[in-house]
Amino acid sequence: DAKTTQPNSMESNEEEPVHLPCNHSTISGTDYIHWYRQLPSQGPEYVIHGLTSNVNNRMASLAIAEDRKSSTLILHRATLRDAAVYYCILRDVGNNNDMRFGAGTRLTVKP
Amino acid sequence: GAGVSQSPSNKVTEKGKDVELRCDPISGHTALYWYRQSLGQGLEFLIYFQGNSAPDKSGLPSDRFSAERTGGSVSTLTIQRTQQEDSAVYLCASSSRAGGPADTQYFGPGTRLTVL
């Protein structure tokens, strides 16, 4: 399975944008890029996903590099509630039964 | 509407005992997943159910672990002869699509299992 690499931790100030990077240099042409986050003492929750084009939803934006070897999750205005572990995950058509979560990036938001 | 629910929220047991963990998926969701998360770690896939198909058990760590899904809805994860290394948070997720790489999974709050 294609592997993702994320920084262990990041810090942000409240109401500032946050860019969370993910490297996936071995991504295949059929891999979708998913982002989930896990707030303290909760199960993970879906944030966004994409294949090739940049994506926007009410929670965040996903910027995908042209070669697809990296992507960036963008939180436009961080709030204290956005403090969580953010996971970048690849899913492909041949292995769609599970999601391989790595260690993720722990985001701290300072007031 | 109601999300994925799991029970119990916490379970403390003695080494060697059997435990059953329950998951109620979102109504109408055909796919159901079990994961476990050890302290400070990412999620580890355990098993996947899709409709009436045979489950994908490829993630179960040993034959002490089993799971069933009755009537295509509620699922029970059973751990026999529990060991201390089984201590973790067990998470259940469901999705409405028939699997697939664009599938979105909805997670329950988890069951925290502690084996003494």
Side-chain angles (χ1 to χ4, degrees), chain B:
Chain B
V4 177
S5 61
Q6 294 186 245
S7 60
S9 55
N10 281 286
K11 176 72 176 178
V12 179
T13 190
E14 294 179 348
K15 178 181 173 181
K17 300 281 189 182
D18 297 351
V19 295
E20 285 190 352
L21 312 178
R22 176 186 169 107
C23 172
D24 284 84
I26 293 172
S27 178
H29 279 193
T30 58
L32 187 147
Y33 308 76
W34 282 98
Y35 297 83
R36 74 175 175 182
Q37 186 171 32
S38 300
L39 186 63
Q41 303 297 311
L43 275 70
E44 174 190 3
F45 166 75
L46 297 177
I47 190 168
Y48 160 73
F49 294 89
Q50 173 55 52
N52 296 320
S53 302
D56 174 0
K57 305 179 182 179
S58 60
L60 293 178
S62 78
D63 58 8
R64 296 186 295 105
F65 288 72
S66 63
E68 63 177 21
R69 189 178 184 192
T70 53
S73 181
V74 172
S75 177
T76 302
L77 177 69
T78 301
I79 309 173
Q80 296 178 311
R81 305 181 302 281
T82 52
Q83 304 293 313
Q84 289 181 332
E85 60 263 29
D86 299 335
S87 296
V89 175
Y90 288 81
L91 290 152
C92 175
S94 70
S95 67
S96 59
R97 297 170 62 120
D103 178 24
T104 296
Q105 296 185 13
Y106 297 85
F107 284 81
T111 293
R112 181 176 297 279
L113 175 66
T114 303
V115 181
L116 301 177

Side-chain angles (χ1 to χ4, degrees), chain A residues 10-65:
Chain A
M10 291 184 66
E11 283 190 355
S12 172
N13 293 317
E14 196 177 10
E15 299 192 2
E16 289 187 355
V18 182
H19 291 233
L20 298 164
C22 181
N23 288 320
H24 28 79
S25 58
T26 59
I27 191 170
S28 75
T30 54
D31 280 333
Y32 279 73
I33 302 162
H34 286 250
W35 284 81
Y36 280 71
R37 72 179 185 182
Q38 188 171 21
L39 279 65
S41 302
Q42 295 188 27
E45 65 174 346
Y46 168 81
V47 178
I48 201 167
H49 77 275
L51 183 60
T52 56
S53 303
N54 294 344
V55 184
N56 298 296
N57 66 21
R58 64 174 181 81
M59 288 182 71
S61 296
L62 177 61
I64 301 173

Side-chain angles (χ1 to χ4, degrees), chain A residues 91-108:
Chain A
R91 303 189 70 191
D92 67 43
V93 294
N95 186 27
N96 57 39
N97 291 346
D98 64 62
M99 290 196 292
R100 305 297 173 102
F101 286 75
T105 297
R106 181 173 298 278
L107 175 66
T108 302

